[in-house]
Amino acid sequence: MEKNSIFKYSIKDLQEILINNNFNKFSAQQIFDWIYVKLETDFNNMTNLSKSLRDFLVQNFEAKPLSSLVIKESKDGTIKILFMLDDKRTIETVLMPQKYGQSVCVTTQVGCKMACKFCASGLIKTERNLETDEIVRQIFTMNCLLKEKYKDDLESPRARVSHIVVMGIGEPFDNFNNVMKFIDIINEPKGFQIGARHITLSTCGVVPKIIEFANMKTQINLAISLHASNNEIRNSMMPINKAFPIEKLIEAVKYYIQMTNRRITFEYILIDDVNDRREHALELAKLIRGINGYVNLIPYNEVEENPYKKSKKVDEFFKVLKKEGINAIVRKEFGADIDAACGQLRAKREGVIKNEI
């Protein structure tokens, strides 16, 4: 009999399953504690559960971490893992040590159909959405790795994932239902205990889903992958802009802020002689002035198969924005020595990028 992954169920789902099978619904909290706090994968070891419940779990569910094909650790502490899914497809996940804790960038699709010209993820066609459990298992497996890495100091905040950015391979809003279920599971106080304000969702601009997300009125952070100050440049880099041009995207952003009263992040990758000139900074400032948000300036991780190069004007661009009264930061670069740009490791494995792993 095929078993279901325990990682696809919220605590409410488990409570319903237990009630329907004549078990105490309180045991769902105990199961969550064993799996997400203690990182236990063998139901037989869950000793405060009844023998009959343990047998039921063994017969019907499995709690498998993801299989790690390649693990790379940068000199800056960044860890990137190429995971193999149960159907032999591959994804990648990145752990980025921060001053405030351990942040993990998760993947939501096998490939990405958005085909942004600067991104390695778009070099391989989209094969499918990830299921909820496949996204949850990325966090679970990273926590297992951290538990081993910090086994002599498990009380350290470094020993567990504390922040999530949904910015890996794929467009999260193109896999909306599974991503929302994933967030529900990792946000559970009896489980990973990752607060809503420690979770950031990034979208390249799927306007109808931004509206739907705004109507949910969550405390989850929203980041917009903007990367251009006008439609001409954005059209050349990001095909989605032809469906949802900047004007529509900014309208949706304003609606999101109105509904949630949350600050927005504008992600802006600086690319040499494409979107990094002074006039672009001035245009960007005019575009977002008055919006409750800030600009996250990102140095470009070059991909050989793409024509773009890292900007040499990051500091200049930043200074123009600041002079114009726009809140901005320059994002720290992570894992440049281990192919940390989205999709690079997977694309190399698939032979789309020439360099060897």
Side-chain angles (χ1 to χ4, degrees):
M1 182 180 72
E2 187 175 345
K3 298 181 180 181
N4 290 314
S5 172
I6 198 77
F7 294 106
K8 73 179 183 180
Y9 299 103
S10 68
I11 203 161
K12 290 181 180 178
D13 293 335
L14 281 180
Q15 287 172 344
E16 187 175 339
I17 290 170
L18 293 177
I19 290 169
N20 290 340
N21 288 275
N22 300 313
F23 294 106
N24 189 329
K25 78 171 187 178
F26 173 75
S27 295
Q29 294 185 21
Q30 296 172 306
I31 294 168
F32 254 61
D33 180 71
W34 277 108
I35 293 172
Y36 295 111
V37 179
K38 298 182 175 72
L39 305 180
E40 180 58 65
T41 59
D42 187 341
F43 299 120
N44 286 313
N45 290 339
M46 300 180 182
T47 51
N48 60 349
L49 303 181
S50 68
K51 178 65 165 59
S52 59
L53 177 52
R54 280 179 275 160
D55 289 342
F56 172 78
L57 293 173
V58 169
Q59 290 165 13
N60 292 280
F61 302 98
E62 60 183 11
K64 293 194 306 182
L66 289 173
S67 175
S68 304
L69 279 178
V70 179
I71 301 176
K72 286 193 167 188
E73 185 164 359
S74 168
K75 58 188 177 184
D76 65 20
T78 301
I79 298 173
K80 186 163 195 175
I81 302 181
L82 184 69
F83 287 121
M84 179 176 282
L85 305 174
D86 296 341
D87 63 1
K88 308 303 181 185
R89 291 179 170 88
T90 58
I91 60 169
E92 54 190 60
T93 308
V94 183
L95 181 140
M96 299 165 290
Q98 305 275 9
K99 290 180 180 178
Y100 50 75
Q102 301 280 22
S103 180
V104 168
C105 181
V106 301
T107 283
T108 57
Q109 294 179 303
V110 182
C112 183
K113 73 179 183 184
M114 297 302 156
C116 297
K117 305 299 185 200
F118 49 81
C119 183
S121 298
L123 294 173
I124 302 176
K125 67 178 183 179
T126 307
E127 297 181 52
R128 66 174 176 84
N129 287 333
L130 292 190
E131 298 296 330
T132 298
D133 73 286
E134 292 172 321
I135 312 175
V136 175
R137 287 160 73 194
Q138 293 174 60
I139 307 302
F140 180 85
T141 309
M142 280 293 188
N143 268 335
C144 291
L145 185 150
L146 289 172
K147 182 179 180 180
E148 177 61 25
K149 187 179 178 71
Y150 292 92
K151 60 186 176 183
D152 295 328
D153 187 16
L154 292 178
E155 296 303 314
S156 167
R158 295 284 176 190
R160 294 188 71 84
V161 175
S162 60
H163 292 68
I164 306 293
V165 288
V166 189
M167 297 181 184
I169 298 172
E171 163 55 54
F173 281 174
D174 201 33
N175 188 14
F176 191 84
N177 291 337
N178 284 327
V179 169
M180 292 301 112
K181 185 70 174 290
F182 155 74
I183 289 172
D184 185 32
I185 292 170
I186 66 168
N187 185 225
E188 169 57 47
K190 301 295 182 182
F192 282 143
Q193 305 171 11
I194 298 174
R197 295 192 179 194
H198 290 180
I199 302 168
T200 300
L201 266 174
S202 176
T203 177
C204 65
V206 185
V207 166
K209 291 300 180 182
I210 295 174
I211 301 299
E212 184 176 348
F213 183 62
N215 289 335
M216 295 171 67
K217 299 182 181 179
T218 74
Q219 292 297 298
I220 298 160
N221 303 306
L222 181 63
I224 302 295
S225 294
L226 188 61
H227 310 313
S229 56
N230 61 56
N231 283 319
E232 182 181 2
I233 296 174
R234 204 163 191 265
N235 284 342
S236 72
M237 296 195 298
M238 304 176 70
I240 193 168
N241 197 68
K242 295 171 184 176
F244 306 112
I246 282 180
E247 295 80 12
K248 294 288 186 184
L249 179 55
I250 294 299
E251 283 179 18
V253 165
K254 290 178 178 177
Y255 179 76
Y256 167 82
I257 294 171
Q258 175 189 333
M259 295 300 290
T260 66
N261 199 31
R262 300 286 295 151
R263 186 170 69 156
I264 203 93
T265 301
F266 292 102
E267 307 281 350
Y268 197 102
I269 294 174
L270 284 160
I271 300 172
D272 185 49
D273 206 32
V274 173
N275 65 353
D276 65 340
R277 295 196 291 272
R278 175 180 170 82
E279 59 262 35
H280 298 143
L282 292 170
E283 195 171 37
L284 176 61
K286 183 178 179 181
L287 179 69
I288 66 173
R289 183 170 284 115
I291 293 176
N292 181 17
Y294 73 99
V295 179
N296 190 5
L297 297 173
I298 305 170
Y300 181 55
N301 268 317
E302 294 181 10
V303 178
E304 184 180 343
E305 280 65 20
N306 290 336
Y308 302 116
K309 299 296 180 185
K310 180 181 293 189
S311 173
K312 304 175 185 67
K313 304 170 187 171
V314 175
D315 290 341
E316 180 183 334
F317 199 97
F318 172 77
K319 288 175 183 176
V320 173
L321 289 180
K322 296 295 282 186
K323 188 175 180 181
E324 290 296 312
I326 301 299
N327 289 325
I329 62 170
V330 177
R331 190 170 82 181
K332 177 184 174 183
E333 294 185 74
F334 290 95
D337 56 325
I338 59 166
D339 308 310
C342 281
Q344 279 189 321
L345 197 55
R346 178 172 180 257
K348 287 186 177 183
R349 177 86 182 189
E350 301 286 331
V352 177
I353 288 180
K354 296 173 186 176
N355 298 340
E356 295 296 324
I357 292 177

